[in-house]
Amino acid sequence: GAGVSQSPRYKVTKRGQDVALRCDPISGHVSLYWYRQALGQGPEFLTYFNYEAQQDKSGLPNDRFSAERPEGSISTLTIQRTEQRDSAMYRCASSPNAGPNSDNEQFFGPGTRLTVL
Amino acid sequence: AQKVTQAQTEISVVEKEDVTLDCVYETRDTTYYLFWYKQPPSGELVFLIRRNSFDEQNEISGRYSWNFQKSTSSFNFTITASQVVDSAVYFCALSEGITGGFKTIFGAGTRLFVKA
């Protein structure tokens, strides 16, 4: 596809369950970012990758959150033992290059709306 | 540490009015990047502009213009002759980092209502 895709678009789960959110970046894009956006707030940085290497995970709230991008393309954000406070929109973005240059706009996916009951 | 402040939570204007959305940032880096994104009611995030810290030249794109002033750490966004389709939440964002990609911090957003 032409843009960043995410699946599922909506996920409802019960507290305590694990969830895996998938991001399929634009083909060939080097960098991939995960954000969380609560209602009425701006996106909050979680982590990012260049190729398969996780460069910064300082935004992950706690050790229940993890992310991987094993082959430098698709990425999975996993939340273990979900809690109600994890409910939010989880957004993925990709950019063509690593580092700052004129091509390094981040293209955002549509997001996965996670609801933890 | 990075910080982006959008002090205006909501702004309401009548169509054809000009409106300026404020953005103030904090950073200790000398190299950084500033962005504006639009989030319409449909929910997607739409890139509007990117500006690096070494380029203080203001930019105009159609009805949109941006005023970057390092002296006041501000990157304000003006919509001239606003239209109903401009109604959205607008986010200002800041990225630091020279190599290896960069972490982006978003402001809380300003919700713009443009009434017909």
Side-chain angles (χ1 to χ4, degrees), chain A residues 1-2 13 15-16 31 43 47 58 67 71 73-74 91 103 105 113 117:
Chain A
T13 190
R15 185 166 52 95
S31 295
T47 185
S58 62
E71 296 177 1
S73 179
I74 293 167
R91 294 191 184 272
D103 294 330
E105 169 191 340
R113 169 75 64 190
L117 302 176

Side-chain angles (χ1 to χ4, degrees), chain A:
Chain A
V4 178
S5 60
Q6 292 185 245
S7 60
R9 293 291 308 277
Y10 302 90
K11 178 70 177 177
V12 180
T13 190
K14 292 184 179 178
R15 185 166 52 95
Q17 298 292 307
D18 299 349
V19 295
L21 311 181
R22 172 182 166 131
C23 172
D24 205 334
I26 294 172
S27 178
H29 275 198
V30 169
S31 295
L32 184 148
Y33 308 80
W34 282 101
Y35 295 88
R36 178 170 68 175
Q37 187 174 15
L39 215 55
Q41 298 293 318
E44 172 194 8
F45 170 84
L46 296 178
T47 185
Y48 84 88
F49 295 82
N50 285 338
Y51 301 101
E52 72 282 357
Q54 193 169 21
Q55 298 292 324
D56 185 337
K57 56 181 181 179
S58 62
L60 296 176
N62 51 60
D63 60 8
R64 294 187 297 106
F65 288 73
S66 62
E68 62 175 10
R69 194 187 185 199
E71 296 177 1
S73 179
I74 293 167
S75 177
T76 302
L77 176 70
T78 301
I79 309 174
Q80 295 179 310
R81 304 180 303 281
T82 52
E83 301 178 4
Q84 287 184 327
R85 59 178 171 157
D86 299 333
S87 296
M89 176 73 84
Y90 288 83
R91 294 191 184 272
C92 171
S94 69
S95 61
N97 300 300
N101 56 52
S102 61
D103 294 330
N104 230 16
E105 169 191 340
Q106 291 183 37
F107 296 82
F108 281 83
T112 294
R113 169 75 64 190
L114 174 66
T115 302
V116 182
L117 302 176

Side-chain angles (χ1 to χ4, degrees), chain B residues 11-41:
Chain B
I11 301 176
S12 185
V13 299
V14 176
E15 211 170 18
K16 298 183 184 174
E17 283 186 21
D18 298 348
V19 58
T20 295
L21 310 181
D22 297 333
C23 174
V24 174
Y25 62 92
E26 292 178 28
T27 177
R28 286 178 289 193
D29 269 7
T30 56
T31 300
Y32 54 90
Y33 297 79
L34 296 163
F35 304 80
W36 276 95
Y37 284 85
K38 175 182 180 179
Q39 188 169 42

